[in-house]
Amino acid sequence: MGFSIYLSCLLALLFALVIYVCYVAVIAPRSNPLRELPGPPSTKLIDNHHMYLTMDAGISRKTHERFVKEYGRSVHIRGPLPWDDRLLTLDPVSLDHILKNSTIYEKPWYSRDLIESLIGCGMLAAEGQVHKRQRRVGTPAFSIQNLRALVPLVFSKGVKMREKWSSMLADGKGQKLDVCDWMSRATFDVIGSAGFDYELNAIDNGDNELLKAYKEMFEVGISQSGSTLRMMLFLYFPPLRRFIRDHRTRTVERCKAVIHRVAGQLIQDKKKKILEAEMEGKIYEGRDLLTLLLKSNQSVDILPEQRISDEDMLNNINTFMFAGSDTTSLALTWTLLLLAMYPAHQTTLRNEVLNVLPSASLDSLTEEEVQSLYAIIADLPFLDKVCRETLRLIPPLHSSIRAATQDDVVPTSSPMKFKQPDGTVREEMRSVRVPKGSAVHIAVEAFNLDKELWGPDAWAFVPDRWDNLPEAVTSIPGLYSNILTFSAGPRSCIGLRFSIIEMKSFLFILLSNFTFATTDEKVAKANVVLTRPYVLGKHSAGSQCPLLVTPYVPAASA
Ligand code: HEM
Ligand SMILES: *[C@@H]1O[C@H](CO)[C@@H](O)[C@H](O)[C@H]1NC(C)=O
Ligand SMILES: *[C@@H]1O[C@H](CO)[C@@H](O)[C@H](O)[C@H]1NC(C)=O
Ligand SMILES: *[C@@H]1O[C@H](CO)[C@@H](O)[C@H](O)[C@H]1NC(C)=O
């Protein structure tokens, strides 16, 4: 008797649950206003096709061009699951509204959760007040003045890599080098020393515990091995991670423990040094981001409730390691590849660089001399154009995503296109209603490569385009040069200046001593969190960019 009551209660509960799931998954999405927008069809229940069309590096630019022609600039696409309706906007006015309204459009919980599970809730993952506080404490550390002070440090790493290459190529002949690996090592060393005042020794291939922990953790975080189903389950149902413990979760935990111990100790040591200096009535002179963050946290400008904890400090250092190393190393890798593919541009750049190369060797310069040399480098016009053009053509972060935290109406600047049953196209000009919870796909690459904005040669590497940009380009709300590479608005990249210093310094040093040529191995792009190089046919060998690197010997002047 009692048992059957339990059973009917259980059945009733189960029934209610089924109804609820049906409602959330099937009924509610039907009334999602995004479904009124034009867009590519989708038939399957679990369907990754739209993600593939918009995110596969080999086809995404063709996809976006076709979408604009067929559907206009506000397109309805679908995530992998049937209720995951998304707005893909290719409209600069909508983009501006979304990126600047960062309280309405936050990073969706599943991507924040993924970032947080690796590097903690630092500036990249946090939202709302927590983010505001972290950004507030972090911003002074990235001021022009502070970053200038880091230039000698960046330079010393570039010179170190040059020495390493020079000894490897001592016979004067060229060698095939994986520049992707080398740039990655160099940027790790830069961010280690500029971030923590800590030598990771990646250029030396040093056996460093902290370096290994970071590398391994980031690799696990981005690795796409493992099934899509597992990835989706973990992404959409994070509690599962606590129950399903496999090789990956264990690796991440082990790495985190190392980082917590070693980097945590660095934070304590640094605090002590600052305090000791203070007690002696001196000012601790550290230039690294950690010192600057700690000082910023103590500054009188910051209200008590805006200060950040030790834990947050570590999360932010992790975040700089994560957001600042691979991105910049990929930007450098793509620049070297493009210069290898366009030897005439490489020669122009080398001549420009050699023109201002001091006669004294770079490692003999004082810090002041390096600073004033960098002031000249920063203003070299062709170097500047090459950096902008690479960052435009191959943005390391191909796309991003936001989710609406409330219902919103997004303004547009161009009409939607609806295909009628009779084959004709009806155009309709209106704004887009984005309901709470729906995602917006931020197509970084699409805006950088839009032929209607940049002109018919938008997909080509043309550094000189920067001498004379089309007016239409100014409608893109980019943080840097009207390209979306560093995003825009309150959540745009805080490390922009840092990465430009790094790119220009390294290119200066490398171009003055080496030439770069393509090899018989064809390099193609693939999006694995970031846009990475792979050798065609050797995808399983992992990301690499082999180039023929030869010491440059200036022609003897007569
Ligand atoms: C070429 C190099 C770089 C590129 C292309 C790049 C690009 C970006 C982009 C697109 C975002 C926005 C992410 C999103 O909305 O999903 C971002 C955010 C961020 N970047 Fe960078 N980045 C670069 C270098 C750096 C460096 C060197 C650092 C630090 C040293 C850094 C630190 C950050 C941080 C902390 C954020 C989060 C900012 C926030 O949400 O308030 N980045 N970056
Ligand atoms: C933010 O969104 C609100 C409401 O949609 C709008 O009125 C406002 O203009 C937007 N702000 C920006 C900077 O786009
Ligand atoms: C930041 O300042 C607050 C208040 O002085 C302090 O409690 C906190 O420990 C500081 N954070 C770090 C990482 O030093
Ligand atoms: C780099 O190039 C400069 C100028 O051509 C030359 O003086 C210097 O010896 C080179 N250094 C190395 C390590 O190859």
Side-chain angles (χ1 to χ4, degrees):
M1 185 68 188
F3 179 72
S4 76
I5 290 180
Y6 277 129
L7 197 65
S8 22
C9 277
L10 199 70
L11 279 175
L13 257 167
L14 212 64
F15 186 65
L17 191 74
V18 168
I19 300 263
Y20 178 72
V21 169
C22 276
Y23 176 76
V24 170
V26 185
I27 317 244
R30 274 176 198 254
S31 60
N32 189 321
L34 287 178
R35 294 200 175 177
E36 294 162 15
L37 304 185
S42 154
T43 46
K44 280 186 283 178
L45 190 63
I46 292 179
D47 189 349
N48 234 344
H49 189 55
H50 294 177
M51 295 295 100
Y52 163 71
L53 288 176
T54 50
M55 311 239 276
D56 185 278
I59 60 166
S60 59
R61 50 186 183 181
K62 292 196 195 94
T63 298
H64 294 123
E65 188 176 52
R66 175 169 72 82
F67 279 7
V68 171
K69 282 207 183 89
E70 282 182 27
Y71 310 118
R73 291 185 173 273
S74 306
V75 184
H76 169 233
I77 58 169
R78 213 196 87 174
L81 296 174
W83 58 83
D84 192 354
D85 294 291
R86 300 184 182 185
L87 166 66
L88 161 64
T89 178
L90 302 163
D91 186 322
V93 170
S94 311
L95 177 77
D96 189 72
H97 172 95
I98 290 158
L99 289 180
K100 291 192 176 152
N101 256 313
S102 59
T103 46
I104 301 183
Y105 296 94
E106 296 189 338
K107 294 186 183 159
W109 63 268
Y110 41 83
S111 37
R112 293 174 56 193
D113 201 88
L114 194 69
I115 305 171
E116 224 182 296
S117 69
L118 295 176
I119 55 176
C121 189
M123 215 183 287
L124 201 60
E127 288 288 352
Q129 277 319 52
V130 179
H131 174 263
K132 226 180 189 154
R133 189 165 65 216
Q134 298 194 345
R135 186 101 188 184
R136 177 88 176 72
V137 175
T139 300
F142 287 88
S143 71
I144 298 185
Q145 202 187 359
N146 284 331
L147 289 185
R148 248 185 232 141
L150 288 175
V151 166
L153 204 153
V154 176
F155 242 74
S156 71
K157 300 299 175 204
V159 169
K160 185 166 177 188
M161 190 167 67
R162 185 191 70 177
E163 302 306 317
K164 190 95 181 172
W165 284 14
S166 288
S167 66
M168 282 162 51
L169 308 174
D171 61 359
K173 290 204 213 79
Q175 237 179 68
K176 206 193 261 188
L177 299 183
D178 176 9
V179 296
C180 185
D181 177 52
W182 281 102
M183 295 307 123
S184 160
R185 293 193 202 183
T187 51
F188 258 125
D189 275 356
V190 168
I191 195 76
S193 112
F196 285 123
D197 186 15
Y198 182 76
E199 297 304 323
L200 291 165
N201 289 323
I203 293 176
D204 285 336
N205 209 3
D207 196 20
N208 185 292
E209 187 180 28
L210 189 58
L211 174 72
K212 279 199 211 147
Y214 275 123
K215 280 184 85 157
E216 206 176 347
M217 188 169 79
F218 296 166
E219 263 157 38
V220 169
I222 64 168
S223 74
Q224 289 209 322
S225 55
S227 76
T228 319
L229 181 67
R230 175 190 186 281
M231 212 171 74
M232 268 170 41
L233 280 175
F234 269 42
L235 212 57
Y236 287 108
F237 307 104
L240 277 185
R241 276 192 220 134
R242 238 162 274 151
F243 299 109
I244 305 180
R245 299 181 35 80
D246 58 4
H247 172 68
R248 278 205 256 184
T249 31
R250 279 195 297 271
T251 306
V252 170
E253 269 166 31
R254 181 166 44 75
C255 295
K256 273 173 138 173
V258 173
I259 292 167
H260 212 273
R261 172 167 52 76
V262 182
Q265 189 58 46
L266 288 172
I267 295 178
Q268 296 314 323
D269 292 350
K270 203 49 122 183
K271 272 183 156 177
K272 221 159 86 199
K273 280 186 191 155
I274 296 174
L275 203 69
E276 279 167 7
E278 226 168 61
M279 305 238 269
E280 294 169 25
K282 285 186 258 170
I283 293 175
Y284 179 69
E285 297 282 359
R287 290 176 285 191
D288 55 286
L289 297 176
L290 175 58
T291 302
L292 297 169
L293 285 176
L294 287 168
K295 282 186 179 170
S296 174
N297 183 56
Q298 293 173 357
S299 113
V300 286
D301 301 343
I302 305 259
L303 298 171
E305 65 270 21
Q306 288 175 329
R307 295 177 200 274
I308 64 176
S309 66
D310 280 16
E311 186 68 29
D312 277 355
M313 199 60 83
L314 181 61
N315 293 341
N316 271 323
I317 295 293
N318 287 347
T319 300
F320 297 152
M321 293 291 299
F322 183 71
S325 57
D326 263 11
T327 43
T328 313
S329 85
L330 287 166
L332 275 164
T333 302
W334 292 120
T335 314
L336 293 176
L337 177 66
L338 286 164
L339 290 171
M341 290 165 67
Y342 295 84
H345 290 324
Q346 186 180 153
T347 305
T348 308
L349 183 57
R350 182 169 298 103
N351 290 339
E352 187 183 72
V353 159
L354 288 177
N355 225 349
V356 298
L357 188 72
S359 46
S361 92
L362 291 181
D363 43 5
S364 71
L365 300 183
T366 64
E367 294 210 338
E368 288 72 32
E369 284 167 334
V370 172
Q371 305 266 17
S372 46
L373 175 59
Y374 184 75
I376 297 170
I377 295 171
D379 283 340
L380 291 176
F382 198 69
L383 178 59
D384 193 57
K385 290 191 278 184
V386 164
C387 291
R388 281 173 211 256
E389 185 64 352
T390 310
L391 288 164
R392 182 191 69 85
L393 196 60
I394 314 180
L397 188 68
H398 172 270
S399 47
S400 187
I401 186 169
R402 296 289 186 271
T405 55
Q406 64 188 64
D407 292 350
D408 188 37
V409 177
V410 178
T412 62
S413 66
S414 66
M416 297 166 195
K417 297 177 186 166
F418 295 89
K419 201 163 189 172
Q420 305 294 98
D422 64 0
T424 58
V425 172
R426 173 175 63 86
E427 296 208 347
E428 189 181 325
M429 186 71 213
R430 62 167 158 119
S431 46
V432 177
R433 281 198 294 146
V434 179
K436 176 177 176 177
S438 285
V440 181
H441 183 83
I442 311 287
V444 171
E445 184 203 49
F447 283 96
N448 286 1
L449 298 183
D450 195 318
K451 290 183 182 166
E452 285 181 27
L453 301 174
W454 295 89
D457 64 355
W459 294 4
F461 181 65
V462 186
D464 286 331
R465 82 170 67 246
W466 292 92
D467 288 333
N468 194 7
L469 287 186
E471 177 63 26
V473 164
T474 55
S475 66
I476 308 175
L479 176 68
Y480 179 65
S481 298
N482 298 108
I483 55 179
L484 208 53
T485 306
F486 296 93
S487 189
R491 298 306 299 264
S492 59
C493 182
I494 201 172
L496 161 66
R497 288 198 203 101
F498 190 104
S499 56
I500 300 292
I501 289 177
E502 211 171 339
M503 280 181 79
K504 288 189 173 175
S505 304
F506 273 79
L507 289 171
F508 177 84
I509 294 166
L510 294 180
L511 265 287
S512 57
N513 280 96
F514 305 99
T515 60
F516 298 86
T518 50
T519 70
D520 49 357
E521 295 188 288
K522 197 160 162 21
V523 175
K525 297 180 282 187
N527 289 327
V528 182
V529 182
L530 298 174
T531 303
R532 300 170 195 274
Y534 289 84
V535 170
L536 271 187
K538 291 190 184 169
H539 204 95
S540 57
S543 180
Q544 52 170 326
C545 182
L547 289 182
L548 183 68
V549 182
T550 312
Y552 172 75
V553 184
S557 50

